[in-house]
């Protein structure tokens, strides 16, 4: 049986979940909403190739802890965790 990210998070109750937006069975945005609802203390970091504003806006509303682009240079930006510096 293939488990979703939500199933895994509920079973393991991790301190942090790192996942992509594009995942099989359930996208990362929906998974983040469900994990935040059921495990509000679990931090969620999204690692994705998608830089579209609508993804970032929806994830902000979900309450994820951070969003990192897969092509990021590795530099840490100061201030808001969603700001990406090139």
């Amino acid at each position: 049986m293939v488990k979703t990210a939500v199933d895994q998070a509920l079973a393991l109750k991790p301190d942090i979940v790192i996942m992509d937006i594009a995942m099989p069975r359930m996208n990362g945005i929906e998974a983040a909403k469900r994990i935040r609802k059921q495990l509000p203390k679990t931090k969620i970091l999204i690692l994705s190739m998608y830089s579209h504003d609508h993804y970032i806006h929806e994830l902000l509303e979900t309450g994820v802890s951070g969003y990192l682009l897969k092509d990021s240079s590795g530099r840490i930006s100061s201030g808001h965790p969603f700001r990406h510096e090139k």
Side-chain angles (χ1 to χ4, degrees), residues 27-45:
N27 72 54
I29 296 170
E30 183 61 31
K33 288 177 184 177
R34 292 181 185 194
I35 292 168
R36 291 288 300 150
K37 184 176 181 178
Q38 296 183 50
L39 299 171
K41 292 183 181 180
T42 297
K43 303 293 183 190
I44 301 171
L45 177 63

Side-chain angles (χ1 to χ4, degrees), residues 14-53:
D15 293 326
I16 187 167
V17 171
I18 301 172
M19 64 182 166
D20 199 340
I21 289 176
M23 299 188 306
R25 300 177 53 100
M26 180 184 304
N27 72 54
I29 296 170
E30 183 61 31
K33 288 177 184 177
R34 292 181 185 194
I35 292 168
R36 291 288 300 150
K37 184 176 181 178
Q38 296 183 50
L39 299 171
K41 292 183 181 180
T42 297
K43 303 293 183 190
I44 301 171
L45 177 63
I46 302 295
L47 177 64
S48 185
M49 65 181 193
Y50 299 111
S51 61
H52 303 290
D53 287 344

Side-chain angles (χ1 to χ4, degrees), residues 27 29-30 32-33 52-64 82:
N27 72 54
I29 296 170
E30 183 61 31
K33 288 177 184 177
H52 303 290
D53 287 344
H54 69 273
Y55 288 126
I56 296 171
H57 178 72
E58 190 168 356
L59 288 162
L60 278 171
E61 289 182 349
T62 300
V64 299
F82 287 88

